[in-house]
Amino acid sequence: MERRTLLSLLAGGVAGLAGCGTPDGETETPTPEEGTDAPTATPTPEARVERSLTLWNPTPDPVFTTVVGVRGDRDVFFENRDLLPGERAALSVSVPTGETAVLVETDTGVRARSEWVVDAAFEGLEVVLGRDGAAFWRTVSCDARGECSLAAAAPDDGPRIDLPLVGDGSTRWYAPAGVVVENAGFETTARLRIDLGDTSLVDRAYRVPTGARLSIPVTYRSGTYRVAVETDERRVETAWPVPDQPTTYVDVSSGATGCGPANTTLTVANRDDEPHRLSLRVDAAGGESFDRTLALDPDEVRELVPVTTSGPHVVSVSLETGAATSGTWWSCPPRGPASVVVDATGAVSLRAAGPQPG
């Protein structure tokens, strides 16, 4: 059986279990007497709205994904997608107003469920796939000058700068760098401030419900920005280097910051026809260190997970021959998996897969 067919059947089975299937003790419908017409029910049209559904695979592996929306005992949308490592697929689905169960299954064994309550304040739902599970976020895009369904009152002296900032010619990329404010906890109001040098770019307050992600496009311009988010519970401030970190994420419930759900896999490959002894050290952005020496046979490839968080990690590599390299591994989307490669000449290099900003 093809995997698509198998996953479709599985998704249908999950829907039956999760939904309201045939209740126990159901009785047979009486047969109308001869000459009597059975009453015919006229179905009432169901109100639907178009919403975005984003599937994101930040893992280093390709994945086949089935996602189905279930309302009562029937499917209201059904999608299959092959996702490459790091790929995001943006879909448009027709969803009934109110609550819909969303079921996700992958050929890597992930099975997850969430309830999607359609709300006029949100544009859609984002499903972020992991190796062991999936995260679900309600999403909305917010204009940095305050045009947002979740915007609260802004200070009277707030900035009036046109955003996103235009580029300065030193680099180029195809989407503006931005800030994402997310909330895994209880609903709160958060004040976001973004500065570049002495210039205030953003100073706005937003209502951030549970399970929400607010995306604010800010700039095409290189530089180190300062991002501050303040709620009644805490204040978080972080430096944001652009374009090395295309997006900075701030979780208002925990105060955690980062560059998104980047994968943390580092591949080490010996493409030489000679064995090598490789010393690897990774100093992670969060302060943890990974230090290991590997004996690599010719053409041997190993997968390591030397860090647990996304961000800029300093990598230092050396061989017994004296060949060495070092650099910064930015494990931030849209970059894919990183690798340390010993080539056929015995030279060693640090490489990052996928599109590079800048």
Side-chain angles (χ1 to χ4, degrees):
M1 179 182 293
E2 292 185 358
R3 62 178 180 166
R4 287 171 172 76
T5 304
L6 176 61
L7 286 171
S8 297
L9 291 175
L10 287 173
V14 172
L17 292 172
C20 304
T22 304
D24 294 334
E26 181 182 12
T27 58
E28 293 184 2
T29 302
T31 302
E33 296 181 6
E34 186 175 352
T36 303
D37 292 334
T40 301
T42 302
T44 302
E46 187 175 44
R48 289 182 174 235
V49 291
E50 291 295 319
R51 287 292 185 267
S52 65
L53 175 65
T54 302
L55 305 178
W56 187 2
N57 173 29
T59 75
D61 306 308
V63 62
F64 179 79
T65 305
T66 292
V67 58
V68 57
V70 179
R71 184 72 171 269
D73 58 355
R74 58 190 177 81
D75 297 350
V76 296
F77 64 82
F78 190 96
E79 298 286 346
N80 286 328
R81 283 295 184 275
D82 274 306
L83 298 174
L84 298 173
E87 183 178 1
R88 295 174 91 153
L91 316 172
S92 179
V93 294
S94 179
V95 191
T97 56
E99 187 174 291
T100 298
V102 179
L103 313 167
V104 175
E105 183 154 359
T106 72
D107 60 353
T108 57
V110 170
R111 300 181 73 182
R113 171 186 173 131
S114 183
E115 301 300 324
W116 183 4
V117 179
V118 174
D119 186 329
F122 292 93
E123 297 164 2
L125 184 73
E126 182 174 64
V127 182
V128 184
L129 301 172
R131 283 180 159 175
D132 303 314
F136 299 82
W137 296 95
R138 293 184 294 164
T139 58
V140 61
S141 297
C142 296
D143 185 289
R145 288 169 291 177
E147 295 299 324
C148 177
S149 58
L150 299 178
D156 292 338
D157 59 349
R160 296 293 185 266
I161 297 173
D162 287 336
L163 297 175
L165 287 179
V166 297
D168 51 12
S170 63
T171 188
R172 59 181 296 192
W173 57 98
Y174 298 101
V179 172
V180 173
V181 178
E182 62 185 26
N183 184 14
F186 297 107
E187 179 170 330
T188 188
T189 297
R191 181 175 176 179
L192 170 66
R193 183 180 175 96
I194 304 173
D195 300 328
L196 178 60
D198 295 329
T199 303
S200 177
L201 304 178
V202 177
D203 191 355
R204 292 285 182 262
Y206 299 94
R207 178 175 65 89
V208 192
T210 300
R213 264 188 178 168
L214 285 66
S215 300
I216 301 101
V218 178
T219 184
Y220 287 95
R221 186 176 303 176
S222 301
T224 299
Y225 297 72
R226 183 174 64 87
V227 177
V229 177
E230 186 173 0
T231 67
D232 290 339
E233 291 75 28
R234 62 177 51 83
R235 186 177 192 278
V236 180
E237 186 172 320
T238 185
W240 175 30
V242 176
D244 291 314
Q245 187 172 323
T247 306
T248 191
Y249 287 73
V250 181
D251 186 332
V252 296
S253 64
S254 65
T257 63
C259 56
N263 74 74
T264 53
T265 299
L266 181 68
T267 301
V268 179
N270 180 17
R271 304 302 184 190
D272 198 1
D273 57 5
E274 297 290 336
H276 285 287
R277 190 171 181 82
L278 183 145
S279 296
L280 171 67
R281 180 179 176 87
V282 181
D283 294 309
E288 57 188 323
S289 294
F290 177 92
D291 200 341
R292 185 171 298 180
T293 299
L294 307 173
L296 300 174
D297 292 329
D299 295 320
E300 183 176 359
V301 178
R302 297 193 193 182
E303 276 196 355
L304 308 173
V305 183
V307 297
T308 58
T309 58
S310 61
H313 314 303
V314 179
V315 180
S316 302
V317 186
S318 62
L319 301 179
E320 81 289 348
T321 61
T325 191
S326 62
T328 301
W329 164 27
W330 285 88
S331 63
C332 298
R335 295 174 174 90
S339 57
V340 171
V341 179
V342 182
D343 65 22
T345 68
V348 62
S349 61
L350 173 66
R351 306 173 183 176
Q356 306 294 311

